[in-house]
Amino acid sequence: MKRSLGAATLAIPSPVWVIGTYDSAGAPNLMTAAWGGIVCSKPPAVSVSLREATYTYANLVERKAFTVNVPSADHAEVADFLGIASGRAMDKFAAAGLTPTRSSLVDAPLVAEFPLTLECRLIQSVKLGLHTMFVGEILDVKAAEEILVEGLPALDRARPILFSAGEQAYFHVGERIGPSFRLGRRLLPKT
Amino acid sequence: MKRSLGAATLAIPSPVWVIGTYDSAGAPNLMTAAWGGIVCSKPPAVSVSLREATYTYANLVERKAFTVNVPSADHAEVADFLGIASGRAMDKFAAAGLTPTRSSLVDAPLVAEFPLTLECRLIQSVKLGLHTMFVGEILDVKAAEEILVEGLPALDRARPILFSAGEQAYFHVGERIGPSFRLGRRLLPKT
């Protein structure tokens, strides 16, 4: 017998992503978001949901561009800070000790210190309620050399942070389980 | 200097969720999906993106309901199988050794063996390209007692699976890093 927990955002795990935008004066800003995920393979697209009250919301609507920067576990304290402070009140890049890099593809800044960044062009906005879902087409992915294995990001090298919404905590990535699209073949009917 | 990896769905980590639907004949079906995430807090809502070619797509459009079932790492082989086989050709519940439970809230089946399920009513569909994004309002969350700590799902008890799209592999959840909305307070300006 299962217990009913009510209507709540308890999907697990959620990612910890840092959204990069420029404000109307051209100043780079950052905000941590956990409400998002990949939403399409062709074109490659990612969603991030933001409250209208955030500074990033207005920036994103105006610039029609954003970056999804993936912090490593080494940046957990900084990533948390970027989720509790507002860019209206301070230069969050400076306060966090991070370096903005200008994208050559979209009108949004990358975080130089983070191992992985998706450069996104806004293609859809869907107001759902407290949050508006922004869908960005991924125009390029920039990765630090040290997280790549055979040219692709390896989870145990990038060491992204996981968010657990119920207990309000961050977690590390653990051990590898096995290969996707192969692990379950044993259960396919014999032909 | 970062390396450009091209336009690709390399956001990390992605979840491994098993989507439950009924087909037109009322038979329960399952399909594994990694393209999804929470998209709104009020109303609580989750997105799942599906290709039109899948059996689940037609079921979801017809029934306007789905469940998001979170397998634990113990179910990794089964979860992978549910992503590579089609419900058109077989009873995937039976083939995977899983038990469908009828939801009292939405027209979709729950997986009895998995520790966490979100019961969702379809509220938005957005065709993006190869994938269509389905947004479901979360009407209730059902959880196994053994994953709860103080009434909420604990990541190290639920042990959900992580998907790494680039290297095509599954990973475990690792150690706890710290509390969200508190870890970064040290960086806030002194008042």
Side-chain angles (χ1 to χ4, degrees):
Chain A
M1 192 57 196
K2 298 269 171 67
R3 197 195 297 189
S4 167
L5 304 183
T9 54
L10 293 172
I12 48 173
S14 291
V16 175
W17 291 341
V18 175
I19 311 307
T21 54
Y22 287 117
D23 72 9
S24 55
N29 187 45
L30 295 171
M31 175 192 156
T32 301
W35 291 171
I38 292 291
V39 291
C40 190
S41 295
K42 290 181 190 177
V46 64
S47 86
V48 173
S49 289
L50 303 173
R51 287 176 299 112
E52 195 167 345
T54 62
Y55 200 52
T56 295
Y57 179 102
N59 296 351
L60 204 161
V61 167
E62 184 179 326
R63 300 281 179 158
K64 297 185 170 42
F66 61 99
T67 55
V68 174
N69 301 276
V70 182
S72 88
D74 296 334
H75 304 112
E77 186 181 15
V78 158
D80 190 60
F81 161 72
L82 294 170
I84 56 182
S86 173
R88 277 198 192 83
M90 71 179 84
D91 176 345
K92 287 164 83 174
F93 264 100
L98 298 174
T99 314
T101 307
R102 187 165 287 277
S103 167
S104 61
L105 295 169
V106 300
D107 191 14
L110 289 78
V111 179
E113 288 81 1
F114 290 1
L116 190 73
T117 301
L118 283 60
E119 296 166 279
C120 303
R121 175 178 75 89
L122 182 65
I123 56 171
Q124 291 260 3
S125 307
V126 183
K127 186 166 171 59
L128 292 168
L130 180 62
H131 287 81
T132 296
M133 175 174 55
F134 294 104
V135 177
E137 180 181 350
I138 303 165
L139 299 186
D140 197 13
V141 176
K142 298 291 195 300
E145 291 286 347
E146 57 267 29
I147 70 163
L148 301 176
V149 172
E150 297 176 3
L152 289 165
L155 214 61
D156 56 357
R157 294 194 176 194
R159 302 169 55 241
I161 305 163
L162 315 175
F163 175 57
S164 181
E167 60 199 309
Q168 301 262 301
Y170 301 120
F171 286 79
H172 287 281
V173 168
E175 300 281 299
R176 181 187 168 100
I177 296 175
S180 53
F181 313 112
R182 296 226 305 276
L183 196 62
R185 280 191 194 161
R186 192 182 61 84
L187 294 169
L188 288 170
K190 304 296 173 284
T191 50
Chain B
M1 191 57 197
K2 297 271 171 71
R3 196 195 296 187
S4 166
L5 304 183
T9 53
L10 292 172
I12 48 174
S14 291
V16 175
W17 292 341
V18 175
I19 310 308
T21 54
Y22 287 116
D23 73 9
S24 56
N29 187 45
L30 296 171
M31 174 194 157
T32 301
W35 291 170
I38 292 291
V39 292
C40 190
S41 295
K42 289 180 191 178
V46 64
S47 86
V48 173
S49 288
L50 304 174
R51 287 177 297 113
E52 195 168 344
T54 62
Y55 200 53
T56 295
Y57 179 103
N59 296 351
L60 204 160
V61 168
E62 184 177 329
R63 300 282 179 158
K64 296 185 171 42
F66 61 99
T67 55
V68 174
N69 301 277
V70 182
S72 87
D74 296 334
H75 305 113
E77 186 183 15
V78 158
D80 189 59
F81 161 73
L82 294 170
I84 55 182
S86 171
R88 277 196 192 83
M90 72 179 83
D91 177 345
K92 287 165 86 174
F93 264 100
L98 298 173
T99 314
T101 307
R102 186 165 289 276
S103 167
S104 62
L105 295 168
V106 300
D107 191 14
L110 290 77
V111 179
E113 288 81 0
F114 290 0
L116 191 72
T117 299
L118 283 60
E119 296 166 280
C120 303
R121 176 179 74 90
L122 181 65
I123 56 171
Q124 291 260 1
S125 307
V126 183
K127 185 166 173 59
L128 292 167
L130 180 63
H131 287 81
T132 296
M133 174 174 54
F134 294 103
V135 177
E137 179 181 351
I138 304 165
L139 298 187
D140 196 14
V141 176
K142 298 291 196 301
E145 291 286 346
E146 55 267 30
I147 70 163
L148 301 176
V149 173
E150 296 176 3
L152 288 165
L155 214 60
D156 57 357
R157 293 194 178 195
R159 302 170 54 241
I161 305 163
L162 315 175
F163 175 56
S164 181
E167 61 198 310
Q168 302 262 301
Y170 302 120
F171 285 78
H172 286 280
V173 168
E175 300 281 298
R176 182 186 167 101
I177 296 175
S180 52
F181 313 112
R182 296 226 306 277
L183 196 63
R185 280 191 193 162
R186 193 183 61 84
L187 296 169
L188 288 171
K190 305 296 175 285
T191 50

